[in-house]
Amino acid sequence: MAYFDLPENHSGSISNRLSSEALSNQELLGARLGVICEAMATLGFGILLGFVFSWELTLIVFAYIICMFLLAFFQIRWQARLNKCSEHILGQASALATEVLHNMRTVKQLSIEYEILQQFSHLVNQAFTVRRNDTVISGLLLSICWGSQPFFLYILYWIVLVRLESNEMHDKDTLMVFAFVTFAFETLRFINTLTRQMGSSLSAARGFFDLFDRTPTIDNGSVDGRQLENFQGQIEFNQVEFSYPSRPTIRVLNKFQLTIEPGQWVALV
């Protein structure tokens, strides 16, 4: 029960996570994962083939590929971080909307519609700001990736021409290396277009693993603790105070006192 008392585990937040994270994992584990594996296998085979014909040019291309993969890795981590922040904000908005719908009459009687609307609008604006930053950063990284390829090809052409003039390379080897470069660039473009989806799926998968690996505060199977030797079945509540973690300032029980004798039936409503 303590799990659902936390603000991030409100029914609205859980519903929002189930609707978004399950879809993100399904998108990654479907046909898209097979296409990514196929592209990576093609890239690996092309690198091996390039080393056979011209290891010098292949090393240059391989260094550029490593830089692009590091850029894609940074974008995936950035996307996963933004998704976590965005999901937290949207979860709060969903929790607020769910609570208002369940207590609509109370909200109307207290005349706090405007305050609730202001809170919800503030959360929506926060989510918009996060997504706007995501769009700007993702567009900048994608432009760096796509815009750097023509400059790299220009440098590669210049190196090849210099080596051809000095008879350090053959025409056939040059054609094979450029065929490998073409396949490598297509693979990089394909992977870079999926970095946002991969970041979302990574964040969703991490949320599922955190939930599965969570250790409950109360262990039902534990035998540690105080054991009652002379238990007669009498239950006594003496000056009990209780409040929910999500609303610590509101006391549900204030100096509650009750004695239940053995065999006595008591209903708490």
Side-chain angles (χ1 to χ4, degrees), residues 36 105 112 191 258 261 268:
I36 293 175
R105 297 179 61 182
I112 56 175
I191 293 177
L258 176 65
E261 300 295 338
L268 300 178

Side-chain angles (χ1 to χ4, degrees), residues 113-219:
E113 297 93 336
Y114 181 75
E115 288 78 4
I116 296 296
L117 180 60
Q118 289 294 107
Q119 294 180 18
F120 189 80
S121 300
H122 179 66
L123 293 173
V124 172
N125 289 332
Q126 285 184 346
F128 171 76
T129 303
V130 171
R131 287 302 178 183
R132 182 185 59 188
N133 296 336
D134 173 30
T135 303
V136 173
I137 298 298
S138 299
L140 179 62
L141 294 178
L142 195 62
S143 63
I144 292 175
C145 177
W146 287 58
S148 62
Q149 292 182 7
F151 293 99
F152 177 77
L153 285 176
Y154 172 78
I155 296 175
L156 191 63
Y157 287 149
W158 177 75
I159 295 175
V160 169
L161 289 176
V162 172
R163 293 179 64 85
L164 286 175
E165 290 179 355
S166 59
N167 295 324
E168 296 180 4
M169 286 188 65
H170 299 288
D171 297 341
K172 182 179 67 174
D173 297 341
T174 304
L175 292 176
M176 294 300 298
V177 171
F178 275 106
F180 148 66
V181 171
T182 302
F183 281 109
F185 279 6
E186 290 299 325
T187 302
L188 289 176
R189 288 181 179 180
F190 175 75
I191 293 177
N192 281 316
T193 55
L194 296 179
T195 50
R196 297 190 64 181
Q197 292 83 352
M198 293 171 65
S200 301
S201 301
L202 179 63
S203 177
R206 185 177 300 171
F208 277 110
F209 283 118
D210 291 341
L211 178 61
F212 295 151
D213 297 337
R214 177 180 176 271
T215 302
T217 306
I218 300 176
D219 186 6

Side-chain angles (χ1 to χ4, degrees), residues 227-234:
Q227 297 184 2
L228 301 178
E229 298 178 356
N230 186 16
F231 182 73
Q232 299 178 355
Q234 182 181 9

Side-chain angles (χ1 to χ4, degrees), residues 28-57:
L28 180 63
L29 298 177
R32 186 172 296 168
L33 181 61
V35 176
I36 293 175
C37 294
E38 180 183 357
M40 295 298 296
T42 304
L43 179 61
F45 178 76
I47 292 175
L48 293 177
L49 192 64
F51 273 111
V52 172
F53 289 96
S54 177
W55 64 270
E56 298 94 341
L57 292 179

Side-chain angles (χ1 to χ4, degrees), residues 17 120 147 161-162 172 194 222 242-243 245 260 265:
R17 292 204 301 265
F120 189 80
L161 289 176
V162 172
K172 182 179 67 174
L194 296 179
S222 177
F242 173 76
S243 60
I260 303 176
W265 293 67

